[in-house]
Amino acid sequence: MIESSTVVPLASERTRVRVPMAFADGYSTTADVVTFDGLVDGREHLLLGLGDWRAALDRAADGGPAPLVRPHSECLTGDVFGSQRCDCGPQLREAVERIADEGGFLLYLRQEGRGIGLYAKLDAYALQDSGLDTYEANVALGRGEDERDYTVAAQMLAAVGVDGIRLLSNNPDKARQLEDLGIRVTEHVPTGVHLSEANTRYLEAKRDHTAHTIDLSAA
């Protein structure tokens, strides 16, 4: 658990490269993809600067709104294979366009399965098929309900000069951790609700158990 007033070790930019991106629905944009040295967990996390992110930083420095930022945890099944058991893929697609429109950053964090890993996440899926919800399944495997730690997110943001953000997320724990790590969350911006026949119970668990800002009645 992150303690308040945590001192975050400094990270530094390693590489920055322009990457054109095209999505299956025809949307395209270009990202400045940044890699880092000094991330505390040693994993290969990425920061994507989208839209006119430099202007967004300048506006924030002049007292304007903070840049729009989404910390997005890797989900191979949803992001790559289009799994309908979660809402990760649609959230990623939505975030890229919304951030590109305003200028800001997407953090792609290698924290599969809320930090328990890909194989364990699939083990948890099997337990969910027997009746457990997404959090109960993690616990039944002997893992935490959510093992994600956003220290690397704070490191990456600090390395590119960001100390305040408008957080694009439905998850209040992201805001709590980032603020404890020295990143000011000036606004909570919810993502859309991406409901499918296969993920209703998953979204209900996030809403009811961890207070995600999800209004399923509007979906």
Side-chain angles (χ1 to χ4, degrees):
M1 187 71 177
I2 297 296
E3 299 291 341
S4 59
S5 303
T6 297
V7 176
V8 178
L10 295 177
S12 58
E13 286 195 31
R14 177 179 175 275
T15 307
R16 183 185 298 183
V17 60
R18 298 275 286 174
V19 177
M21 300 191 301
F23 290 82
D25 61 2
Y27 176 76
S28 62
T29 190
T30 301
D32 290 310
V33 181
V34 182
T35 66
F36 297 88
D37 287 319
L39 298 178
V40 293
D41 63 5
R43 296 179 181 175
E44 296 181 334
H45 307 280
L46 300 175
L47 176 145
L48 279 66
L50 294 162
D52 197 345
W53 57 268
R54 293 177 180 85
L57 289 179
D58 290 342
R59 286 194 299 271
D62 290 338
L68 188 62
V69 172
R70 174 165 177 78
H72 183 89
S73 296
E74 177 183 44
C75 177
L76 179 70
T77 51
D79 296 343
V80 177
F81 299 131
S83 169
Q84 297 291 292
R85 293 186 67 134
C86 64
D87 58 346
C88 302
Q91 282 190 320
L92 176 63
R93 167 64 183 84
E94 174 194 358
V96 169
E97 184 169 2
R98 290 180 67 176
I99 297 169
D101 285 346
E102 297 192 30
F105 304 96
L106 185 137
L107 311 178
Y108 199 77
L109 306 175
R110 312 302 296 276
Q111 302 188 120
E112 183 81 46
R114 297 199 190 96
I116 68 173
L118 179 59
Y119 276 20
K121 181 178 82 170
L122 294 173
D123 291 341
Y125 276 2
L127 292 174
Q128 290 169 45
D129 289 342
S130 70
L132 300 184
D133 72 25
T134 179
Y135 299 103
E136 292 167 343
N138 280 18
V139 172
L141 292 172
R143 308 298 297 264
E145 290 184 346
D146 189 338
E147 296 187 2
R148 289 175 293 181
D149 183 319
Y150 295 98
T151 302
V152 292
Q155 287 185 287
M156 292 191 286
L157 290 169
V160 297
V162 177
D163 63 1
I165 64 172
R166 297 166 55 235
L167 178 63
L168 181 60
S169 175
N170 299 327
N171 184 355
D173 184 54
K174 290 181 182 179
R176 284 192 293 266
Q177 287 202 38
L178 288 170
E179 288 177 332
D180 287 343
L181 291 160
I183 301 296
R184 292 179 296 108
V185 178
T186 65
E187 183 181 354
H188 296 244
V189 182
T191 69
V193 178
H194 303 284
L195 182 66
S196 73
E197 291 184 7
N199 72 13
T200 301
R201 190 159 174 261
Y202 166 83
L203 295 179
E204 288 173 342
K206 292 206 295 184
R207 179 196 63 192
D208 298 340
H209 190 70
T210 48
H212 281 56
T213 52
I214 298 173
D215 182 2
L216 294 177
S217 68

